[in-house]
Amino acid sequence: MTLSQDEFGVLGSLVVRRDGRSVPVTAAKHRIVLATLLLSANRSVPASDLIRRVWGDMPPDRAAQTLPVYVMRLRRTLGDPRLIHTTTTGYRIDLPPDALDLHRFEALAEQGAALVAAEDFPSAAAVYEQALDCWRGAPLADVPSDSLHETEAPNLAEGRLRVISELVDVKLRLDRCDEVIADLRRLTAQHPLRERFWSQLMVALYRVDRQADALDAYRQASTALARELGVDPSDSLRAVHHAILTGDPALYQPAANTWAPVSQLPAPVGNFVGRGAELTRVTGLLTRAAATVLVCGPPGVGKTAFATSVGHAVRDRYPDGQLYVNLRGYSTSPPLSTSAVLARFLRAMDVRADHIPVGEEELVRNYRARLRGRRVLITLDNAASVDQVLPLLPGDPGCSVVITSRNELRLRATTVRLDVLRTDEAWKLLARSLGPEAAVAQFDALGELARLCGYLPLALRIALGNLVGAPHVDVESYVDELRGGDRLSALAVDNDDTAAVRRAFDLSYAALTPDAARLFRLAGLVPGPDFSVSGVAALLDAPDDVAGGLLEDLASAHLVQRVGADRFALHDLLHVYAADRAEAAGDDVEAARRRLFDWYLRTSVEVGDVLYPELGVSGPPRLSPEVARTWLDAERASVLAATEHCAVHGPLPMTWKLIDAVGGYFGSHGHHVEFVHAINAAVGAARAVGDHDAETLMLVWLAAEHRNLGDLRTAQRYLRSAVPTGRTVWLHVGLDGVVHLELGDIPAASASFERMMALSDEPWAGPHVRIGALAGLGALRMMRGELPAAESLLTEALELARSADGMNVEATCAALLGRCRAAAGDHQQAAELLRHALVAWYRTGARHARAEAMAHLAAALCLGGEHAEALRTAQRALALVQELGGNPRIESEVHNALGLVLLHLGKPGRAVAAHLRGLELATSSDYRFGACRSHVHLAHALAADDRRAEAARHARVGRDLAARGGFGQFERLAAAALADLT
């Protein structure tokens, strides 16, 4: 769709665009009326239906008189009284073809079905994906009508699920099994009662030689149906199950590549014109063989749009995927570090978080090893130097690289220089957006406009932002304005040797209202890659609704780009321009930036209070855990950019305050490389001002992060280098105790937790200090085998945690007490406590803790006789720790739990394999307690597999290791096993 067309949307929040401009429909009841009309577009909607949608089944007495008023005001908002017609029975909205996203979705779905019938499966897949792209979220998301959400929204959602299922069928036909497995895992979790998704998942798993996983998927489906509906699987699902058991050839297709294709390319740029010769040359190079291409040219010439178009044109030649990153080489924001880019790429290529190293050299080696033997297209956008690019080159002859830069970098690459558009291309770009009639009528004026814009694409698009939304497009008047006046001769943009961009910026800027102009200027101060409505509201010191309206104005003028439902970004040239304008206008830039950083900090602390209150509550939480996690996910890059900015430019204390506020989130969500980099910057800032307490706190965070990575010895080194005072003492002592405990150093751990208990009596100590001490001492007593004492300590800790209202710490105490009850033989209560912990950790997003608790839950269920559920739980724990990243200690616990379940299911050989893996992981991470567990379990599994000599050896090693470590329970279990064997 071009900017001159109307656009309406119901597949998500309500969207209205008239002639390229967003039209906000702010009144709730007006949105209900409009949504109801749109759902029946081009058909009359009875007034009685509209009344029911607006007011429900009990409308007010004057509803019939009020409805026409709402329609009148809605017509006024839409700017065209003829758009909504009055009919004999009600009202009708008339829309042109393709104006409504629902109509586009339905048409594409029909087209996809027709292509399936014609057995054109590649085209069908592409069309179905286009249909699903019409969706932006939950249908009618911001339309507050119970009636619509009860009747219409479910039907819309059902249509989407139907198309998703049909797309999966097509991909299975194309043998793209690995590609659909991850999607089907998510879909079966979200819709556990939809048997078709389970059937498709089973078939996909079977075709990639994962028969056991396919059978486990059937068991999960059966459990869900029995639990929720009290029914057995349908005949069709049972038939698929039987076919898998018997190896029916009808299910078989050659297994697809186990690599999961990556697709990070941005969406193609709309209204892309010209560059025919360059496109032919570059796509030819990339199609024939692997190549490295450098696309260079002045700012605003369209290098990113060109590289994106090339990527989409050749993506079929790179079946293993497309990686993309904006290196921000010319942005006022901090450029992305090599480590951060490589960590992102490795995560995108399904490398587990705990397998992503922190050091740059190791990252480069891992990245190149992962690409070996693959055909991947890598786009490195906005590179400023050779040093930025070299570590990101793949080193594999099958992969290609496209680099964009303003400079002709000295690389072994084919260089393609982009210049401004030709005269005819520039005219075409303008004409397409203005429409054929306006373009023909003002042919000469458009040519002059293109000349004044220097034929530069960015300048032309900015000019269009001023023209497209006008009621009557008067190009000649705009050209007269562009010719005259001061064209910001004082404004300097690095490497910009033309005035075209500055002229277009200047005129668009001059057309803004004073409030919009101020927002635009201040947006240039944001250090991150993008920003939210609330973020710029903080910059402005204005309400969110005011900031949102002004952002819509800037988006319509093409001065900001929409990059998400509530997120916007500035082109790097506009970033510089806006910041310079702020200085020229005399804005108090430091005050505005400080407001933004204060908002980051204030909100980070607030969401931290919800998810991690044990780290320092500042007040009662006002957000739900889901909202808190969503905010952190969206603002992660911006908060990190703010910390880096503050570490260089100040205020320096803001650096470590932000780190401290978001530490719990980064520590549990796998962004280890970026977080370690940011903490190191904060350590430098603290040292620069001589703040000993801040430096110590950051060293504690470094230790915690290395502990999260499973590197306990490095964590110990950071703890030893820190000399804590004040609040950091209890955090330091508590973490020191945990690290010693996981290393199996019982005396040192005991000393740390006893000191923590003494600190809990200090006047400054909150309840979490005592809870942490009790939990640590309870875990220690449990490891010693002193179960009554452990249970007493952990019960007190859990009661205190419940009164302190901290989900993570309560979950920790419940999980430890559950493990204690399991060791004492009370498996039912153990399972209840561990399930309680899992619910809390699910809400806070603590994924590693969930995986460990699931492992112990599987063991409790198994010993309690629930073997089938125990197997499912252990398998889910293993999938979680491998998919989301864990550490060797946790993965060791998961494998030991799986081995225990397998032994009780009569599969001692597989149990031995699981425990050997658990032992390997425990030994590699110096996790002595876990190693003892593995040896004891191996003794039982090997004995059941009639390998008694090996069993006795493991029992003996386990007994001796447990005796040295002081792990009384395992010492007794190993000794008993050895006695039985000898």
Side-chain angles (χ1 to χ4, degrees):
M1 296 187 62
T2 64
L3 291 175
S4 61
Q5 291 178 303
D6 294 341
E7 184 179 1
F8 295 85
V10 293
L11 303 181
S13 56
L14 195 65
V15 168
V16 181
R17 291 181 68 85
R18 303 294 318 285
D19 295 324
R21 286 188 179 276
S22 178
V23 178
V25 182
T26 55
K29 288 185 169 56
H30 295 180
R31 289 203 301 276
I32 298 172
V33 172
L34 180 57
T36 304
L37 293 172
L38 290 173
L39 289 171
S40 299
N42 304 320
R43 301 195 306 270
S44 178
V45 179
S48 58
D49 284 359
L50 287 164
I51 289 171
R52 180 165 51 85
R53 300 301 193 194
V54 173
W55 287 284
D57 293 329
M58 299 182 65
D61 294 337
R62 294 188 55 80
Q65 290 75 35
T66 306
L67 179 63
V69 177
Y70 287 170
V71 173
M72 177 191 69
R73 292 174 179 170
L74 185 58
R75 285 169 171 156
R76 188 181 304 154
T77 299
L78 298 177
D80 185 354
R82 298 167 299 176
L83 196 60
I84 299 176
H85 299 272
T86 302
T87 68
T88 55
T89 59
Y91 299 93
R92 182 185 75 246
I93 188 167
D94 286 338
L95 299 182
D98 295 332
L100 180 64
D101 57 7
L102 174 59
H103 290 172
R104 295 197 299 276
F105 168 75
E106 291 172 340
L108 288 165
E110 290 180 9
Q111 185 183 349
L115 289 165
V116 169
E119 297 189 352
D120 185 355
F121 299 118
S123 299
V127 170
Y128 277 141
E129 285 170 344
Q130 290 176 41
L132 293 171
D133 285 343
C134 295
W135 285 76
R136 294 165 288 105
L140 309 172
D142 59 349
V143 179
S145 168
D146 291 341
S147 175
L148 285 174
H149 285 286
E150 289 170 2
T151 57
E152 297 297 331
N155 292 334
L156 295 173
E158 182 66 25
R160 176 175 176 270
L161 290 174
R162 185 187 67 253
V163 170
I164 290 174
S165 185
E166 290 168 0
L167 173 60
V168 170
D169 278 340
V170 169
K171 288 183 176 180
L172 289 173
R173 292 263 198 160
L174 295 169
D175 201 27
R176 291 159 63 178
C177 298
D178 278 279
E179 183 179 336
V180 302
I181 287 172
D183 289 337
L184 286 167
R185 292 283 194 199
R186 175 178 51 80
L187 289 164
T188 51
Q190 292 173 346
H191 310 281
L193 305 182
R194 296 184 75 93
E195 292 190 41
R196 189 173 182 186
F197 288 144
W198 286 110
S199 175
Q200 291 169 325
L201 176 60
M202 290 161 63
V203 171
L205 289 167
Y206 179 79
R207 288 181 182 173
V208 295
D209 294 330
R210 292 168 62 181
Q211 181 178 356
D213 289 340
L215 295 173
D216 184 61
Y218 178 77
R219 286 190 287 271
Q220 292 178 50
S222 301
T223 300
L225 292 165
R227 182 176 59 243
E228 300 296 330
L229 302 178
V231 300
D232 293 326
S234 66
D235 291 342
S236 59
L237 193 60
R238 287 202 300 271
V240 174
H241 179 236
H242 180 74
I244 291 171
L245 287 172
T246 58
D248 188 341
L251 290 173
Y252 179 77
Q253 287 186 9
N257 197 325
T258 56
W259 169 279
V262 184
S263 183
Q264 293 187 319
L265 277 175
V269 176
N271 201 11
F272 183 80
V273 300
R275 314 298 189 196
E278 294 90 344
L279 279 170
T280 300
R281 181 186 179 198
V282 175
T283 54
L285 284 170
L286 297 174
T287 299
R288 288 191 297 273
T292 300
V293 177
L294 171 65
V295 180
C296 58
V301 82
K303 298 182 293 294
T304 299
F306 178 83
T308 302
S309 297
V310 165
H312 284 283
V314 302
R315 63 187 307 162
D316 289 345
R317 301 293 299 169
Y318 296 88
D320 294 319
Q322 306 84 37
L323 295 170
Y324 170 88
V325 65
N326 179 359
L327 294 173
R328 304 206 303 252
Y330 303 97
S331 172
T332 55
S333 304
L336 284 179
S337 68
T338 298
S339 296
V341 174
L342 290 171
R344 289 185 185 184
F345 279 171
L346 287 170
R347 278 199 298 272
M349 292 186 285
D350 284 338
V351 176
R352 287 169 37 178
D354 58 319
H355 289 181
I356 297 176
V358 175
E360 185 174 313
E361 290 185 7
E362 288 182 90
L363 281 164
V364 172
R365 281 197 297 272
N366 277 255
Y367 165 67
R368 290 175 176 165
R370 185 68 173 153
L371 290 171
R372 193 169 297 125
R374 306 291 177 189
R375 282 191 59 78
V376 175
L377 177 66
I378 302 151
T379 302
L380 307 176
D381 200 10
N382 288 315
S385 67
V386 172
D387 291 340
Q388 264 191 311
V389 170
L390 286 178
L392 305 178
L393 298 179
D396 191 273
C399 297
S400 290
V401 185
V402 176
I403 305 156
T404 73
S405 178
R406 296 182 190 176
N407 306 321
E408 293 194 21
L409 305 178
R410 299 178 69 85
L411 291 164
R412 295 182 62 183
T414 300
T415 300
V416 176
R417 181 172 181 84
L418 295 186
D419 207 339
V420 296
L421 295 173
R422 298 196 312 266
T423 303
D424 61 317
E425 293 171 338
W427 189 92
K428 185 185 295 183
L429 173 62
L430 294 168
R432 279 189 181 178
S433 293
L434 295 178
E437 293 183 7
V440 171
Q442 304 183 77
F443 183 92
D444 292 337
L446 283 182
E448 179 64 7
L449 174 58
R451 187 187 69 78
L452 289 172
C453 286
Y455 306 106
L456 202 63
L458 181 59
L460 292 165
R461 293 184 189 278
I462 294 296
L464 284 170
N466 286 316
L467 290 170
V468 168
H472 303 288
V473 178
D474 187 348
V475 180
E476 287 191 16
S477 297
Y478 182 81
V479 165
D480 289 341
E481 290 183 67
L482 196 58
R483 280 201 193 100
D486 178 11
R487 293 292 142 240
L488 288 178
S489 57
L491 176 63
V493 179
D494 292 343
N495 299 317
D496 181 8
D497 57 359
T498 77
V501 173
R502 294 196 297 273
R503 286 174 179 165
F505 288 0
D506 185 28
L507 204 56
S508 290
Y509 172 77
L512 297 173
T513 64
D515 288 341
R518 178 169 176 261
L519 172 57
F520 173 70
R521 295 194 301 270
L522 295 182
L525 309 178
V526 178
D530 54 26
F531 43 85
S532 66
V533 171
S534 296
V536 295
L539 275 171
L540 278 176
D541 194 18
D544 281 14
D545 58 345
V546 172
L550 295 174
L551 276 173
E552 293 293 344
D553 292 342
L554 295 180
S556 296
H558 290 255
L559 292 174
V560 298
Q561 300 166 276
R562 189 186 298 277
V563 293
D566 184 40
R567 301 199 73 76
F568 299 81
L570 284 171
H571 186 282
D572 53 6
L573 284 182
L574 285 163
H575 218 296
V576 174
Y577 176 88
D580 285 348
R581 268 298 193 177
E583 296 284 355
D587 291 322
D588 191 342
V589 296
E590 289 308 316
R593 193 178 275 124
R594 184 58 188 254
R595 285 195 299 271
L596 175 65
F597 293 164
D598 284 343
W599 176 75
Y600 283 143
L601 179 60
R602 186 171 62 253
T603 316
S604 296
V605 169
E606 187 174 358
V607 299
D609 288 348
V610 176
L611 301 175
Y612 314 100
E614 62 274 14
L615 299 178
V617 178
S618 64
R622 296 180 298 161
L623 304 174
S624 70
E626 293 74 21
V627 171
R629 284 203 315 273
T630 299
W631 186 89
L632 283 167
D633 290 342
E635 297 291 350
R636 172 177 58 86
S638 296
V639 170
L640 285 178
T643 63
E644 294 178 30
H645 177 95
C646 293
V648 176
H649 304 288
L652 295 180
M654 183 64 71
T655 309
W656 58 78
K657 288 178 180 179
L658 284 169
I659 292 292
D660 196 32
V662 300
Y665 166 81
F666 279 94
S668 62
H669 281 68
H671 303 287
H672 302 298
V673 174
E674 299 98 317
F675 192 39
V676 167
H677 181 79
I679 301 172
N680 281 320
V683 170
R687 287 173 177 165
V689 298
D691 192 322
H692 173 77
D693 288 345
E695 180 185 347
T696 300
L697 181 59
M698 293 301 100
L699 290 172
V700 170
W701 274 117
L702 276 175
E705 189 60 2
H706 283 281
R707 182 249 174 180
N708 290 333
L709 286 163
D711 189 351
L712 297 173
R713 294 300 180 186
T714 300
Q716 251 188 349
R717 285 199 298 273
Y718 279 116
L719 288 169
R720 287 171 181 162
S721 69
V723 183
T725 59
R727 175 211 161 192
T728 56
V729 173
W730 81 268
L731 290 172
H732 181 278
V733 171
L735 183 58
D736 187 65
V738 169
V739 171
H740 277 116
L741 198 64
E742 292 175 356
L743 285 169
D745 189 344
I746 295 291
S750 180
S752 292
F753 290 129
E754 291 290 356
R755 187 183 176 200
M756 193 175 181
M757 183 63 77
L759 289 172
S760 70
D761 294 328
E762 294 290 332
W764 50 262
H768 295 102
V769 180
R770 182 172 180 82
I771 295 168
L774 288 167
L777 290 169
L780 188 149
R781 293 293 185 91
M782 180 175 60
M783 292 171 72
R784 282 178 173 169
E786 302 167 4
L787 298 182
E791 183 171 347
S792 176
L793 289 164
L794 293 171
T795 300
E796 182 183 351
L798 181 57
E799 290 172 354
L800 275 175
R802 283 171 173 159
S803 63
D805 194 27
M807 280 184 291
N808 280 289
V809 71
E810 181 182 339
T812 298
C813 295
L816 286 170
L817 184 56
R819 291 171 58 184
C820 189
R821 294 307 306 150
D826 188 350
H827 305 301
Q828 182 177 352
Q829 189 182 4
E832 291 176 3
L833 287 162
L834 287 160
R835 285 188 173 115
H836 176 77
L838 282 170
V839 169
W841 275 325
Y842 180 81
R843 296 188 71 199
T844 64
R847 296 171 291 178
H848 299 113
R850 280 173 54 208
E852 184 173 13
M854 287 169 70
H856 293 297
L857 175 60
L861 291 167
C862 175
L863 295 173
E866 299 181 53
H867 297 148
E869 184 65 23
L871 180 60
R872 285 190 287 271
T873 303
Q875 288 172 331
R876 285 196 294 269
L878 185 59
L880 180 63
V881 79
Q882 290 180 341
E883 177 185 354
L884 300 174
N887 60 35
R889 181 187 66 80
I890 294 175
E891 193 169 351
S892 171
E893 297 282 20
V894 172
H895 280 283
N896 280 324
L898 180 60
L900 178 67
V901 177
L902 290 169
L903 177 62
H904 280 75
L905 288 172
K907 301 176 181 178
R910 291 179 61 188
V912 168
H915 291 311
L916 284 172
R917 178 59 178 155
L919 178 60
E920 178 188 359
L921 290 162
T923 304
S924 69
S925 59
D926 214 358
Y927 179 37
R928 298 168 196 168
F929 184 75
C932 288
R933 188 193 300 278
S934 296
H935 282 300
V936 171
H937 284 324
L938 275 167
H940 293 294
L942 286 163
D945 204 32
D946 203 23
R947 297 156 65 180
R948 296 178 65 83
E950 291 179 73
R953 180 171 60 82
H954 279 285
R956 193 173 293 110
V957 171
R959 180 198 61 189
D960 296 345
L961 184 61
R964 288 196 300 273
F967 309 135
Q969 183 183 20
F970 284 141
E971 184 180 4
R972 290 191 293 273
L973 291 171
L978 187 60
D980 289 342
L981 289 163
T982 57

